[in-house]
Amino acid sequence: MSTGTTRQTRQRASAEDSSAYGESLADVYDSLYPSSGPAVDSLVAFLRELRPAPASLLELGVGTGRLAIPLARQGYRVHGVDASPSMLAKLHENDPTGEVTTSVGDFGALAVEERYDIVLTALNTFFMLPTQEQQINCLRGIHDALAYGGAAVFETYNPQVYHRLTEATTQVSHLAPDALLLDTVQVNQSLQSVLVVHTIIDSGRLRKVPEVSRYAWPAEFDVMARLAGLRVTGRWADWDRSPVTDRAEKHVYVVERQEV
């Protein structure tokens, strides 16, 4: 098999995996990740300071509109891309006035005609690309999608949080009075890979949804960004711009195009 054929096969597999994840969770996604509250408010405030409305904004892995809809209501011109038609159908239910435009697509092989002031990749979405090559390809697509003076924003988990896990762990949370979510986490340190199996128990029914992510260390992310013609201009532990520590749960990156 040629290198080009291998790359195309991996990209198709990535798109299919992302679509399958979204299709499996579309009906409970809003319970997992509410569209209001301090987490959403702090992200909106961060973006308003970075590039105020009415800036144009592209969200990759837009899901059911948890962030896109509040941002559109703040005056941003928002377009969302997601591999899952069911996620986008739920987004349009949540956005009956049609403030957010959408398209079905694989953000790992991004190709857009418009240029955007902000490209947003939130909630660990970037790490769901399973190889370094696909992550670099995504960054190149983001480079091409950014308008002059634009900025890309990434929200990822802190790799340290998972890399230190030496055995499988399980977390339990409530989705509804009659629904439970069990998340079982396993880490492959050598591959920088995290497998989370979401087990949903709802009205006596059980289903399992696997989620695989490939984390990149901060120094690696910097290098990948440079290879894509980008540079990291800020990194924080949260949307409040608090400093990064080993114990921080997340990283927030701001990335801009390199000046020639």
Side-chain angles (χ1 to χ4, degrees):
M1 181 180 292
S2 70
T3 302
T5 303
T6 302
R7 182 178 298 112
Q8 291 169 5
T9 301
R10 287 176 179 170
Q11 289 175 344
R12 284 197 298 270
S14 174
E16 290 167 0
D17 291 346
S18 297
S19 176
Y21 170 80
E23 295 292 289
S24 299
L25 289 181
D27 61 326
V28 297
Y29 194 81
D30 289 345
S31 297
L32 288 170
Y33 305 108
S35 60
S36 61
V40 175
D41 293 343
S42 58
L43 178 145
V44 172
F46 181 95
L47 294 182
R48 288 175 64 183
E49 181 178 343
L50 183 70
R51 299 290 189 279
S56 57
L57 185 148
L58 172 66
E59 184 181 356
L60 306 182
V62 68
T64 62
R66 180 183 76 101
L67 302 174
I69 295 171
L71 287 165
R73 290 173 180 167
Q74 289 291 323
Y76 287 94
R77 295 175 285 117
V78 183
H79 182 79
V81 174
D82 203 282
S84 167
S86 294
M87 284 282 202
L88 296 181
K90 187 66 176 177
L91 183 153
H92 293 300
E93 287 180 20
N94 295 337
D95 180 34
T97 59
E99 294 180 89
V100 178
T101 62
T102 63
S103 58
V104 178
D106 174 15
F107 70 91
L110 185 63
V112 294
E113 294 183 2
E114 187 176 344
R115 298 294 175 262
Y116 296 87
D117 300 311
I118 301 173
V119 177
L120 173 64
T121 311
L123 204 62
N124 310 320
T125 299
F126 180 73
F127 283 174
M128 292 184 73
L129 294 167
T131 69
Q132 185 185 71
E133 179 184 13
Q134 288 170 313
Q135 290 176 354
I136 293 171
N137 285 341
C138 177
L139 289 165
R140 286 174 174 150
I142 289 172
H143 171 277
D144 294 343
L146 280 174
Y148 179 78
V153 180
F154 298 82
E155 177 189 27
T156 72
Y157 59 76
N158 178 359
Q160 281 284 6
V161 172
Y162 289 107
H163 191 74
R164 65 171 65 104
L165 296 179
T166 57
E167 57 186 29
T169 63
T170 300
Q171 300 173 341
V172 182
S173 56
H174 287 271
L175 290 177
D178 59 348
L180 282 177
L181 172 69
L182 283 73
D183 284 341
T184 302
V185 182
Q186 291 181 292
V187 178
N188 186 320
Q189 294 176 329
S190 61
L191 296 179
Q192 299 174 207
S193 176
V194 178
L195 169 64
V196 181
V197 178
H198 303 286
T199 302
I200 300 168
I201 305 172
D202 185 3
S203 301
R205 296 173 299 169
L206 183 148
R207 60 176 148 145
K208 293 187 176 183
V209 181
E211 174 187 339
V212 179
S213 62
R214 187 255 177 201
Y215 54 85
W217 296 102
E220 179 188 5
F221 186 93
D222 291 354
V223 172
M224 291 194 298
R226 287 200 298 273
L227 288 173
L230 301 164
R231 62 188 179 96
V232 176
T233 57
R235 178 167 45 241
W236 298 276
D238 211 334
W239 300 111
D240 61 2
R241 298 177 185 263
S242 53
V244 171
T245 69
D246 286 347
R247 295 293 175 179
E249 291 188 1
K250 70 170 68 172
H251 288 168
V252 173
Y253 293 87
V254 172
V255 177
E256 300 177 9
R257 295 177 68 149
Q258 293 184 32
E259 298 293 340
V260 178

